[in-house]
Amino acid sequence: MPAERTFTARHVQLTRAALAAVAALMITFSPDHSASVGLPTFGGFVIATALVLVLAAIIVYPAGHRWPAVIIAGISFVLGMTAGIPSIRSDALFFGLVIAWAASTGLVELIHGIRSKGTEGARDATLIGSLGLLLALLLALVPAGFVMDYTTPQGAASLTGIIIGVGMFGGYAAIIAVFLGIAGLTPGAKKAAQADAEKEAGTDSLADHGGYA
């Protein structure tokens, strides 16, 4: 009897949710919402997500369904590594990288969700892809050089474009964390993972007895 897989689509969802939650918490509890905080947080999040998707493409997703994970992982790794270069960090770079990442990976996930309509995970991909495109749109509407001065009981303060942008990314990460966490913990996700394991076990059994492989 083949061993049960220890890493399934459900675990991919939960791992991605945990990574998004870490990114959201780092931004939420940081008093500094500048590019020097936003870029490394973004870079770490997308690189870690890329590694999870590469692992999923190798041992979780079947042939013919690996292309979204591979494409998203490749885009995330390149842009995440760029975000990790300290000498080029700037407000413009933050907006450029996050918009490019959200638009490209969001489009890939959305296309995958639409093409896979009716199958397990299609709804998740469609929603995540839509949220990525929405993040790209909202960030594109924020003027990078925006500055609004105001006064608080603690003194003068300023609201800038980069503060809004980093805050939007943090909000996006929080929403993704909640959604993927719920999706990964629902009974439907657990049953789907169990069904996949049983189907794989049945296929292996047939192959052992001269059936199809």
Side-chain angles (χ1 to χ4, degrees), residues 23 62 99 116 172-173 175 201:
I99 290 174
S116 305
Y172 161 85
I175 294 172

Side-chain angles (χ1 to χ4, degrees), residues 39 42 78-84 88 91-104 139:
L39 279 169
F42 164 76
V78 171
L79 297 183
M81 291 297 291
T82 304
I88 63 173
D91 295 358
L93 183 66
F94 174 85
F95 280 98
L97 290 181
V98 179
I99 290 174
W101 174 83
S104 57
L139 287 175

Side-chain angles (χ1 to χ4, degrees), residues 53-194:
L53 292 176
V54 168
L55 181 62
I58 295 173
I59 66 176
V60 175
Y61 301 137
H65 296 274
R66 295 168 180 156
W67 63 269
V70 172
I71 294 175
I72 293 172
I75 294 171
S76 298
F77 185 78
V78 171
L79 297 183
M81 291 297 291
T82 304
I85 303 175
S87 60
I88 63 173
R89 287 175 185 166
S90 65
D91 295 358
L93 183 66
F94 174 85
F95 280 98
L97 290 181
V98 179
I99 290 174
W101 174 83
S104 57
T105 60
L107 183 61
V108 171
E109 292 231 47
L110 181 59
I111 292 174
H112 172 56
I114 294 174
R115 290 183 60 181
S116 305
K117 186 177 180 180
T119 63
E120 185 66 30
R123 184 183 64 177
D124 300 342
T126 300
L127 181 56
I128 294 173
S130 299
L131 289 173
L133 292 175
L134 178 60
L135 174 64
L137 175 62
L138 292 177
L139 287 175
L141 295 176
V142 177
F146 173 79
V147 178
M148 184 180 72
D149 297 322
Y150 60 95
T151 303
T152 68
Q154 289 75 33
S158 297
L159 177 65
T160 63
I162 188 61
I163 291 176
I164 297 173
V166 172
M168 284 184 176
F169 172 69
Y172 161 85
I175 294 172
I176 292 297
V178 171
F179 175 77
L180 287 177
I182 293 174
L185 292 172
T186 54
K190 295 179 181 179
K191 291 179 180 178
Q194 183 179 0

